[in-house]
Amino acid sequence: MIARALAALGRPALGTLAALGRGGIFAGSALSHLLRPPFYAREFWLSCIQIGWLSLPVVGLTALFTGAALALQIYAGSARFSAESVVPSITAIGMVRELGPVLGGLMVAARVASSIAAEIGTMKVTEQIDALVTLSTHPMKYLTVPRMLAATLCVPVLVGIGDVIGIMGGWMVGTGRLGFNSATYMKNTWEYLEFWDVGSGLVKGAAFGFIVALTGCYYGMNSGRGAQGVGRATKSAVVAASIAILAANYLLTEVFFAA
Amino acid sequence: MIEMQGVQKSFGPKVVLRSVDLTVPRGESMVIIGGSGTGKSVLLKCILGLIQPDGGLISLDGQDVRTAPRDAFLARFGMLFQGGALFDSLPVWQNVAFRLLRGSLKRPQEEARAIAIAKLRRVGLGPDVADLFPAELSGGMQKRVGLARAIAAEPGIIFFDEPTTGLDPIMAGVINDLIREIVVEMGATAMTITHDMTSVRAIADRVAMLHDGRVQWTGTIAEMDETPDPYVQQFIHGRAEGPIAALR
């Protein structure tokens, strides 16, 4: 009875550890290929367009509405202490440190990790990955490395643009609904914002981009057979990327800002 | 010459290849027949290194394929996959010229495109197909493009995995004739796996029947028709009754 209960606990724990190990080996292999030629420039640029440029609308809209809602919430909270003047600075700090990178990362995870997993998973079940190998092309170099590099470089840019749009969202609500003077709002925003507030968010963006591409490629390459296998790989990629982003966000926040 | 000695492969508890011994001499067209799930595709993939065998030895011209320099080894092969396995994101000509656009066989883009169009013409497709994407082609056209890709770099060895599956009889006949012509024309060594007996008769110099993880029988087409082997006779005549059904 006790042995069975322990086995029931141990099995998923071992399964999780094994999955983490496989993911770690996959990441190590991808990084080692990143440093060795050949490099596929065309694949890299296409990935930059797919991951960066085409994610801009969804990240921008997310940032806009988040910045606007954040300004309203901070106003409602700060009004209890007659400290409404903090709205611009707290909105900006909240956006660039946390909400910009985290929500941007999650939106990219939903859009990009799913698409990468589905694309590579379909390639696997239709033997396109095998075809790549027979054509003397390493799938890790051709499929994984360009996507990981593109995501790691593009997501911080998306986060930076999202930060600006989010602050603008706060400004629109602040000046349009909460009665702030436009110049004062902008002055308070920039005055209290420090370089590392923005820099830490961009570093988080790079880490989240890496996670998104890594999980998408990993689950795609390990996709099961048929439509169900690809569907499961896609779902798992989004879930794993989202959880990994939230966990990495906590760890990075501890590293960057713990007293 | 491709030589397999005692090749074994299992997936978990399922033994697919028990001990395969087979020799394919240079320039010969060998067709492997056998029921579904007997490991025909697994055998081809073991030779190419897409699947690692659990045991046995596979050699190409006397060299163990595991120790052969990977790029140079793969450059000797062309493969037509069952579903074509064309890259959806690339136009037809870039699929055909894939090997010529990168790696050790890289050519200037214009030259690669010209070779791709010539190979497309060789398989009966016009230059107007070159800029289409695979999703815009019929199944038969996709097979032809796959065939053009397999021969684009003029490999010495070509593998055909179920080349006529999913095609109507006329298109299957066209593909069979193309394979035979190309193999003879290029003097290539060919290994084809198929269930289609019309393909076997059109393509094969020799036939090997895989059953229960072993090579059950090998011989020429004429010998295949004459052999008393009950497994071969049941398979080539498509009989429901016989030793294969009894073992399932």
Side-chain angles (χ1 to χ4, degrees), chain A residues 127-128 130-131 133-134 136-137, chain B residues 45 74 86-88 98-99:
Chain A
E127 295 187 301
Q128 291 179 53
D130 286 344
V133 176
T134 63
S136 309
T137 304
Chain B
K45 289 182 179 179
L74 288 170
L86 302 177
F87 306 123
D88 306 319
F98 192 90
R99 209 195 271 275

Side-chain angles (χ1 to χ4, degrees), chain A residues 156-189:
Chain A
V157 177
L158 284 173
V159 167
I161 295 169
D163 288 348
V164 174
I165 294 173
I167 289 169
M168 285 299 111
W171 171 83
M172 283 163 65
V173 167
T175 55
R177 288 264 293 109
L178 306 176
F180 279 90
N181 171 275
S182 175
T184 311
Y185 190 100
M186 293 313 291
K187 181 173 171 287
N188 281 354
T189 295

Side-chain angles (χ1 to χ4, degrees), chain A residues 113-115 117-119 219-220 223 228-239:
Chain A
S114 57
S115 127
E119 186 182 353
Y219 281 100
S223 164
Q228 199 177 30
V230 176
R232 197 176 295 129
T234 306
K235 180 183 70 184
S236 301
V238 176
V239 170

Side-chain angles (χ1 to χ4, degrees), chain B residues 190-243:
Chain B
M191 275 183 81
T192 306
I193 57 180
T194 184
H195 298 110
D196 179 356
M197 291 312 298
T198 312
S199 286
V200 176
R201 293 177 193 286
I203 297 171
D205 292 327
R206 287 178 69 81
V207 181
M209 181 172 179
L210 211 57
H211 178 71
D212 196 26
R214 290 186 173 84
V215 175
Q216 172 72 27
W217 178 88
T218 54
T220 62
I221 293 287
E223 289 166 347
M224 180 181 77
D225 290 328
E226 298 301 321
T227 180
D229 187 303
Y231 293 89
V232 176
Q233 287 304 316
Q234 184 189 354
F235 189 85
I236 67 175
H237 293 108
R239 293 184 191 126
E241 296 301 316

